Amino acid sequence: MAMTITVQLNDLEEKCMRFMAASPEAWVQNFVHARVFAAKQEIYQEEVRRMTADPTISNIPADVDTVVAQANVRFANEQPELPAMTPPGV
């Protein structure tokens, strides 16, 4: 499974992006890849912690990608929503 994401910027947004990045396309790609890397590390650490605590598991794969690919994760849209909260006195 592969995903292609397209971002369309209006003229003002493009101007702002070009102010901070010589190549807005490269900046967006780098940002996404860095965030994916961070998420992969988080999933890996949580999964290794879970497997280490499970006495029925005797082997943990040495490859990060294998551990992450086999992890049973809940996606962000599957996370329970926090209840609506109103601050006191509002």
Side-chain angles (χ1 to χ4, degrees), residues 28-71:
V28 169
Q29 286 183 358
N30 289 335
F31 178 83
V32 170
H33 287 289
R35 187 58 190 99
V36 166
F37 178 80
K40 183 193 293 187
Q41 296 305 308
E42 185 177 343
I43 294 167
Y44 174 76
Q45 290 171 4
E46 288 181 18
E47 186 64 3
V48 167
R49 206 173 5 258
R50 184 197 67 77
M51 290 189 288
T52 303
D54 187 339
T56 65
I57 296 177
S58 58
N59 294 315
I60 298 174
D63 180 57
V64 173
D65 287 355
T66 300
V67 171
V68 173
Q70 294 175 357

Side-chain angles (χ1 to χ4, degrees), residues 16-28:
C16 294
M17 283 297 296
R18 291 193 180 283
F19 172 77
M20 60 175 247
S23 170
E25 295 88 354
W27 186 92
V28 169

